[in-house]
Amino acid sequence: MPPITSDAGTSDAATPHAAASDLAAPDPAVSGVAVSASVPGAEGFRARLDLAPSPTVVATASPSHRVHAVVVVRPDGRAPAAFHLKRTLASLQEQTRRPDALTIVLCGGDERLADIVAGAGADFVVNAAASTGFAAATALASPEASRHEAVWLLAQDTAPEPDALARLAGALELSPSVAFVAPKLVRWDDRSEIVSLGIGMTRYGRTVGLADGELDQGQHDAREDVLGTDVRGILVRGDAWSELAGLDRGLAGADEGLDLGVRARLAGARVSLVPAALVAVAGDGAAGLPAPNTPQRRRRIVYAERVAQLHRRLAYAPLGALPLHWLSLLPLALWRTVVDLVRKQPVRIGPEWAAAVVVFVRLIAIGRARRRIAVTKRVPWAQLAPLRISQSELRERLDDEPEIALGGHRRGDLHFFSGGGAWLVLGALVVSVASFPALLAWPVLGGGALQPLANTVGWLWDEAAFGQRSLGLDTVGPADPFASVIAVIGTLAPWDPSRALVVLWLLALPLAALGGWLAATRVTERPLLRLLGGATWALAPTFVVALSQGRPTAVILHLLLPWLFFAGSVAHRSWSGAGAASILLAAVVATAPSLAPALAVIWLLAILLAVVLRAGRGVARLIWTVIPSIALSLPLIWNAVANGRPWGLLADPGVPWAGPQVGTDSAGRALLAAGIPTPDLAGWTTLIPEGPTWWVPLLTAPIALLALAAPLTQRWAVGTALLVVTALGMGTAFAAVGISVAFSQSIPVAIWPGAGLSLAWLGAVGGALVTLDAGLAPRVAFIRGIATVVVLAAVAALAVPSLTAMTRRTATIANGPESTLPAFVAAQGRDDPDVGTIVLTPQGEGGVSAIVVWGASETLGGQTTMLSTRTRPTAQDAAVAELAADLVSSSADDVVAGLAEVGVSFILLAPAMPTETDAARTMRLSASTALNQRDTLDSVGDTTKGELWRVIGEVAPRPREAASVVTTARLIAIGQLIVLGIALLLAVPTAASRREARRTPRVVGPHWQEGQ
C-alpha cells in the first residue's frame, strides 16, 4: 500500500452524509490509493465545532470517517510475540472493512519483529525506545491521524475478527454523541471466554471489570453505555481523540481506557460497547495489562493497577482535597500492607509501596492530568454517578463469584461431630480425668522438669525478652525462645499463670486426640481411620511417658506437631497455611531444638519438590515458613556462636533434668526403634516387675509394618514422604540419645530422645493410615476394620502403665510448690523481682554448686540455656564460685558484704540430691556451721526448701541494665513482633481464603499440582 500523507484536515469522505453501510463496504477502488488532499469546508467544520449549542467534544462530522489503525509492538523477549504480531497483521488484512491507514509503532530493536513490521505494508512505521508505554506510543502515532479520522488502537496481540472494524465503525457512525466504541475482548485461544467487556469504577476509584473471565453466553450483549473500557481495540472518533489529548501516560499502562472514558463522559460524550465486534487478546502487555502467568507479570500488574488508581485519585480529586490525598499516600501504603497480609497477598506489598512512592513524587504528571480534565470538562461529576459501581453491587459481584471452576474440586464437610471426632475428644477427656484426677485440685505442677510460672503476665513476657536473666549473678543476653511459648500459655490465665500449665496438663490427652484427628484429615477421608489417627496420637508412648514424668517440653511438642503437619502440608498452596505453619514451626523449634535439623531437611525437600513438580509455585510460601523461627532464635544463635557453644543450641530448654531415659547400648536403641524412650518399657517393668516384658516392644509392630507398606500403595508418593519423616525422627532420636550438652549442677543432662520419637510417630501413624486407606481393595475392606482394632488395642496396652502411674503412685509429677524458694523469700520477691538469693547445693562428691536466683522463685520460663550449656566458666561464674567457697568456709574472711554489694539478700542451703552421699552430708553440715557463725547473717531457720539466712544491713540494689542492653532489647522485640505480626495476619483466615480452600482437596498427597 503506497504511503498516505495527511494533515489535520484531510479526509477521504467525498459525500458529507454517507450511510453507515458505506463504512462497512468501502469501494475497493479507493482502497490502496494514495490520497493527499484537503476536504473543502474543513475550516467550516472547526467553526461549527466551536459554536455548537451543545458544547461537547463530539461533533456531527462527516459520517464517512477514515479509520487510522495504530498497532503498538513491544517485544517481551518471548517467541509468541512474533506469532501474535503475524496473526494481528493478518487479521487486519482480512477485515471486511479495512483500515484506511496503518501506523505501526515498534518499541525496541527486536530484529525478528522489525522484519515482520517491514513486510507488513504499513503506511507509517515509528521506531521508539523499548521502554515506551502504550500511551506514549499512540501519542507518537497520533500526528499522522487527521482530525476527521477515527483512531483504532491495537497492539501486537489484539487480533480482530474479520467483521470487527465494520461493526465498530458502523456503531460509531450511528451514534454521533459517542466518543469511542469498544469491542468484546475474548481469549486468544478460546473466544468463548470474555476477557473484558466494559469497566466500571467504585466511589473510591477501584476498577471493576463488568464481565471479566465469564463464559460468553450473550448475557452482556444488551449492554451499551459504560463508564469505561479496556483500551485494546477501541475505535475513537478523531476529533474526540484530539480534544481529549489521547491517553494519559501517567497511568503506567493500566486503566487507560477507563480514564479516557471518564474524561469523555466529563466532556459530555458517551462511551459505547459493541459486543458483536470480537477482538482476541493474548495478554503480551504491549497494551493493557499482561496475562498474570508469571510472578514478574503479577507484580507488574499490581504495581500498574495501584499507580493508576492513585494517579486517578489525585487527578479526579477536588482541589481542596488534593493535599490531603497526596499526604495520605504513604500512610495508606502502610495500612494496605496490613490489609494485604490479612488477605494473604504479601507479594503485593512491594508493588504497593513502589506505586505509592512513584505517585507521591510524580507531581508534574498529576498536574498535567488535572489540567487535561479542566480543559475538556463540561459536565459535573455527579452525572457519572449512575455509571459507578456501588458497594452493594460490588459485594454482590464478589458473592456471586463461582466457588468451583468447571471441572474443579469441591471440598466436603469436615464431619467432626458426625464422623466421631467430638466423641473421641470427649473420651480422651474422660481418660485424662481418670488418669490424673489430682490435677483438678492442684494449683501448681511440680516434679520432673516442672517448675512454677511467673506470677504475673508482665513477668512472663519480661522473661521472654532480651536483657537480664532471672538466674545468675548478672547474666545478660537473649531469652530461650521456649520462654515465649511459656509466656503464651501463662497469659491464658493472667490471674494465675501457673494454673494454666495445670489445665494444659489435664487437657493434654483430649488436645492430642483433637490434633491427631485433624492431622488425619490430611491423609484420609474415612471417619474410622481419622479416629484411629487421633487415638494413636494421644496414646503415643513418648507422650504418655512425658505426662507421667513431668516433661513440659515433650508434652507441648507432642501437642504442636499434628497442627504443624495440618498447616504445613498445605503451606505450598495457601498463604493461610504458610502463616499458620510458620508460627507453629517457630513454637516447635523453640520447644525441641533437637528437631531443627530434621525439620530443616523436610523443609528443603518440600522446596525441591515445589520447584520440580510445581514449577516454583509456592516456593515463596515455603520460604516464609522458616522466617519466624529464625527471627525468634537468631539472638540465641548469635550469642551461642559468639561464646563458643553452638552445640548448646540443641539442648532441651526449660529445667535441666536428668530423668530416666534409654541408654546408648543395643537394648536402649532397640527400645528407641520401638518408639519407647525410657528403660522401664514405658512403665511396664514397674507394673509387672516379676513378669515377662519381652513382648512390650512388639506392641508397636502393627503400626510399623503398616507404615513400611505405605510406599507400596496407590498413594505411594505421600506414603514415601511420611516414611521419610519417620526416618528423620528416628535418626534424630538415635543421634540425640546419650549426648549431653547441658548440666544440672554437676550432673550432665542428655538430650531427650522423645522429641525425635514424636516426629517419627507422626510419620508412622500417617503412613499406617495411608496403607489402611489406599492399600486395601474394596472387597477385603473388612480387613481394614480388623487392622484398626489391632493397632488401637496394641497402642492402648502400651499406654496403660503411664496412664495409671498416678493411681499407682509411681508418677514423677506432684503437687508442685508455688515457689522453689522459702516462703519468706517468695513473699518479698513477689513484690520485688530484684530480690536476690544465692542457692547453695551440696554435691555428691563433696563440692557445692551455687546459683543466684532473682525474684520469688525459679520459674519454667526463667530458665536459660546460656547458663545450663556453658562449658567454660565466665568471670561471673568465677565470682559466684569464689563467693560460695568463702561462704561455706569457716576460716574465710567475711564475704557477706560482697553479697550485699551485688544485691543478694538471702542465702539458701538447699538439701542435697535425693540420695545424699556421705560427702554431701559432710559438706551440708560444715556449710551450715560456717554460715551460722557469721555475725552479718541472720538465721531465718529451717524450711522445706532448706536452711535460710538473711543478710543483715543494707543491701545494694541489683545492678541496672546498661543503656545499650535496653536499646538492643527494644530492637530485637520490635523485629520479632513485626515478623510474628505478619505471620499472624497471614494465618488469620478470610472469606476469600476460605473460598479458595474449598476449591482444593483437604487430603494432600495425590498430586503436588492440586490447588493450583
Side-chain angles (χ1 to χ4, degrees), residues 107 115 141 144 177 204 214 287 313 319 447 455 468 476 570 622 640 661 704 722 766 842 912:
C107 304
D115 293 340
E144 308 297 342
S177 62
Y204 300 102
E214 297 185 18
R313 180 175 298 171
L319 184 60
N455 54 15
Q468 284 183 324
V476 177
V570 295
L622 292 174
Q661 59 177 269
L722 290 169

Side-chain angles (χ1 to χ4, degrees), residues 463-474:
E463 290 177 339
F466 184 96
Q468 284 183 324
R469 308 268 46 93
S470 59
L471 298 178
L473 187 61
D474 189 21

Side-chain angles (χ1 to χ4, degrees), residues 990-1009:
T990 62
S993 66
R994 287 193 293 267
R995 284 197 299 268
E996 184 64 26
R998 288 194 293 268
R999 300 188 183 103
T1000 57
R1002 180 177 289 108
V1003 175
V1004 297
H1007 310 286
W1008 268 77
Q1009 292 81 3

Side-chain angles (χ1 to χ4, degrees), residues 42 363 369 486 580 594:
L363 300 180
I486 292 299
S594 59

Side-chain angles (χ1 to χ4, degrees), residues 414 424 513-537 562-563 565-566 715 762 765-766 769-770 773 1002-1004:
L414 196 59
L424 173 66
L514 175 62
W517 187 88
L518 280 174
T521 63
R522 295 296 190 199
V523 179
T524 178
E525 292 282 358
R526 302 180 189 275
L528 178 64
L529 297 185
R530 290 180 176 181
L531 293 175
L532 177 64
T536 53
W537 184 255
W563 292 93
F565 176 79
F566 182 79
R715 297 177 61 195
L762 178 69
V765 171
L769 295 182
V770 169
D773 181 61
R1002 180 177 289 108
V1003 175
V1004 297

Side-chain angles (χ1 to χ4, degrees), residues 630-783:
I630 295 174
L632 204 60
S633 304
L634 188 59
L636 187 65
I637 295 173
W638 182 276
N639 182 274
V641 173
N643 289 280
R645 50 180 186 85
W647 291 108
L649 294 170
L650 298 176
D652 296 318
V655 179
W657 181 56
Q661 59 177 269
V662 297
T664 57
D665 56 359
S666 58
R669 295 189 179 275
L671 289 179
L672 286 181
I676 300 174
T678 55
D680 63 351
L681 299 180
W684 271 101
T685 57
T686 61
L687 185 64
I688 48 174
E690 303 299 332
T693 55
W694 58 266
W695 50 271
V696 174
L698 299 179
L699 293 175
T700 59
I703 280 187
L705 294 175
L706 289 172
L708 289 173
L712 305 179
T713 64
Q714 294 178 348
R715 297 177 61 195
W716 59 269
V718 65
T720 302
L722 290 169
L723 201 59
V724 170
V725 172
T726 304
L728 288 171
M730 279 293 178
T732 300
F734 274 77
V737 65
I739 295 179
S740 300
V741 293
F743 301 89
S744 174
Q745 299 179 15
S746 59
I747 301 174
V749 179
I751 298 175
W752 170 244
L757 293 183
S758 287
L759 181 63
W761 192 262
L762 178 69
V765 171
L769 295 182
V770 169
T771 301
L772 293 175
D773 181 61
L776 299 176
R779 63 179 178 273
V780 292
F782 71 93
I783 299 179

Side-chain angles (χ1 to χ4, degrees), residues 923-990:
M923 172 55 68
R924 177 170 56 82
L925 294 175
S926 63
S928 177
T929 302
L931 292 170
N932 281 322
Q933 291 176 352
R934 298 189 181 278
D935 296 334
T936 51
L937 292 178
D938 180 20
S939 176
V940 179
D942 287 338
T943 70
T944 57
K945 309 297 189 305
E947 294 184 71
L948 180 66
W949 289 266
R950 181 173 61 87
V951 175
I952 299 175
E954 185 176 354
V955 177
R958 183 184 184 184
R960 295 293 89 192
E961 295 174 324
S964 59
V965 173
V966 176
T967 302
T968 302
R970 290 175 178 173
L971 292 176
I972 291 175
I974 291 172
Q976 291 177 340
L977 287 175
I978 289 175
V979 173
L980 293 176
I982 292 173
L984 283 171
L985 290 175
L986 289 175
V988 174
T990 62

Side-chain angles (χ1 to χ4, degrees), residues 106 110-120:
L106 179 60
D110 188 285
E111 295 183 359
R112 185 177 182 184
L113 293 181
D115 293 340
I116 297 174
V117 169

